[in-house]
Amino acid sequence: MIGSGKMIYVYNKSVRGFSHIENNTLCQDYSEKYLDKEKQIITCADGHGSKIYIRSDRGSRIASNIAIELLKECDYEDLLIYKKNNNFDKLKLEILCKWHEAVEKDLENDPLEESNLTEKEKFKINNNPHIAYGTTLNVVMMFKDLLLCIQIGDGGMFLIKDREIINALPENDGNVANLTNSLCGDDAYDNLFINVFNKEDYDGVFIATDG
């Protein structure tokens, strides 16, 4: 997403990786965008690759779509209040609740099949079926003169200024090697980071999954 003046360009692309093609597995990443006269929203989400996350492709799609639907309804005054108070509790709860509600609805319409899981994995899934949909989420929204950034998990979210690249949100110690924070985690609320910036301070913003 590039442009701090009148012209704003928004790009998104999801690609099935080589290992997924070679092993004939689904692409678990998902990206989406939404544009209107005032808002430009872009998302990307990375469904987890371990075997227990058997519906992470759905989880990433759900995450991207609910984020866009929520932000389409977001008022400019809401962003001003978030920015002034530096308090994003309401938005964090809305994202998490909407994601879990959508996952629950998907489970009701299409119950899980666990035939390829180990007994330990089946126990975990039975205890918390939402684990099957585990995913990260990165979201950016340009709205008038403000820039909203939302992130949980690994991947990248970078602000661009005078050809310098800056991390938009703090790095999290929970994202190490193949471990990452997730919307399905018990600690998702604590690891969902949000901030609002002045759009004119930056030339663009870039988000991506880690592949």
Side-chain angles (χ1 to χ4, degrees):
M1 188 181 291
I2 302 171
S4 57
K6 291 183 179 180
M7 296 298 294
I8 296 175
Y9 303 90
V10 179
Y11 310 89
N12 73 295
K13 180 72 174 178
S14 298
V15 178
R16 191 181 181 204
F18 175 76
S19 64
H20 291 81
I21 296 172
E22 191 176 50
N23 298 318
N24 194 30
T25 54
L26 292 170
C27 176
Q28 292 125 340
D29 288 15
Y30 188 85
S31 65
E32 191 57 87
K33 65 177 180 287
Y34 168 83
L35 309 173
D36 64 24
K37 292 180 179 179
E38 292 187 313
K39 295 177 181 176
Q40 300 82 40
I41 306 170
I42 190 165
T43 74
C44 67
D46 183 4
H48 308 326
S50 297
K51 192 171 66 171
I52 194 171
Y53 303 107
I54 53 179
R55 289 191 177 175
S56 64
D57 60 311
R58 301 191 196 188
S60 61
R61 184 183 72 249
I62 289 169
S64 286
N65 289 334
I66 64 101
I68 286 177
E69 290 306 310
L70 276 172
L71 294 183
K72 282 166 62 175
E73 302 301 320
C74 181
D75 294 327
Y76 181 71
E77 289 72 21
D78 292 335
L79 288 190
L80 289 175
I81 292 170
Y82 291 145
K83 189 173 188 296
K84 178 182 178 182
N85 297 333
N86 194 30
N87 187 321
F88 305 97
D89 293 351
K90 179 176 179 289
L91 183 55
K92 289 168 70 170
L93 287 172
E94 286 177 339
I95 292 169
L96 293 172
C97 288
K98 289 292 184 182
W99 184 79
H100 282 286
E101 288 171 7
V103 166
E104 192 61 34
K105 185 175 182 180
D106 192 72
L107 285 166
E108 290 174 3
N109 294 333
D110 186 13
L112 284 170
E113 295 182 6
E114 307 167 356
S115 56
N116 294 324
L117 299 180
T118 66
E119 291 303 315
K120 183 178 181 180
E121 289 167 340
K122 288 179 182 178
F123 175 80
K124 289 182 177 180
I125 288 284
N126 287 330
N127 192 46
N128 178 11
H130 293 200
I131 288 175
Y133 294 74
T135 182
T136 67
L137 177 64
N138 298 272
V139 187
V140 170
M141 177 173 71
M142 287 185 178
F143 190 2
K144 297 184 179 180
D145 60 339
L146 297 177
L147 177 64
L148 172 71
C149 295
I150 301 169
Q151 184 179 43
I152 183 170
D154 54 17
M157 179 174 290
F158 306 103
L159 301 171
I160 304 167
K161 177 66 174 177
D162 297 330
R163 299 193 177 188
E164 290 189 21
I165 297 176
I166 308 159
N167 280 320
L169 295 168
E171 295 188 30
N172 192 295
D173 293 339
N175 303 321
V176 180
N178 290 327
L179 300 177
T180 183
N181 294 305
S182 172
L183 286 174
C184 73
D186 293 336
D187 55 356
Y189 179 86
D190 294 328
N191 292 301
L192 181 58
F193 295 100
I194 305 177
N195 208 347
V196 178
F197 303 91
N198 294 318
K199 185 176 74 175
E200 299 301 322
D201 291 342
Y202 301 97
D203 302 318
V205 59
F206 172 81
I207 62 173
T209 70
D210 68 352

